Amino acid sequence: QLQLVESGGGLVQPGGSLRLSCAASGDSITAIAIGWFRQAPGREREGVACIDSSWRGGGTNYADSVKGRFTISKDNAKNTVYLQMNSLKFEDTADYYCARRDWRCSTSARDFDSWGQGTQVTVSS
């Protein structure tokens, strides 16, 4: 059974960068899509970025709010998906989660399962 563990969150100033990691165990990420989501206090969970399974070509998609600033990537050898976050803004403050879906990405969090415990990102001066 696949388990996902996020790490890499922290406190960063506006304009700074962080790289989040989503480490998988119990199964390979080769055949699955991995999505990054975030949830700020009092707000619904929203999709940030997603990467299709390698078998589908590993295509990526992003929320409009992070396009050009965030990059999702994967290292199949390490069974890990990354989220590189640059030019961070106050509004990026949230708990960030990764989750899996069979085969290809979806924009709906309801289509994902095996959620990690989350990692907190705080953008503050």
Side-chain angles (χ1 to χ4, degrees):
Q1 183 177 354
L2 184 77
Q3 292 187 322
L4 301 173
V5 178
E6 303 93 336
S7 63
L11 174 64
V12 63
Q13 292 185 339
S17 298
L18 282 174
R19 188 178 78 158
L20 305 184
S21 298
C22 173
S25 62
D27 200 358
S28 171
I29 63 172
T30 303
I32 61 174
I34 296 289
W36 279 100
F37 298 81
R38 66 186 181 187
Q39 187 166 20
R43 302 190 66 176
E44 291 187 357
R45 189 167 296 188
E46 63 172 346
V48 175
C50 190
I51 187 164
D52 279 338
S53 67
S54 298
W55 294 356
R56 189 175 164 78
T60 60
N61 56 65
Y62 299 90
D64 288 342
S65 59
V66 307
K67 279 181 182 176
R69 300 188 298 122
F70 290 11
T71 303
I72 188 171
S73 62
K74 65 193 301 186
D75 185 333
N76 286 329
K78 294 183 178 180
N79 222 28
T80 300
V81 174
Y82 303 99
L83 184 68
Q84 179 66 44
M85 306 187 297
N86 298 328
S87 302
L88 282 162
K89 304 177 180 180
F90 292 119
E91 52 263 41
D92 294 319
T93 295
D95 292 325
Y96 284 71
Y97 302 86
C98 61
R100 67 164 296 282
R101 184 175 190 255
D102 287 334
W103 192 237
R104 62 184 178 92
C105 289
S106 167
T107 57
S108 173
R110 289 190 295 269
D111 293 335
F112 289 79
D113 56 26
S114 301
W115 293 84
Q117 84 291 345
T119 186
Q120 188 174 58
V121 172
T122 302
V123 184
S124 175
S125 55

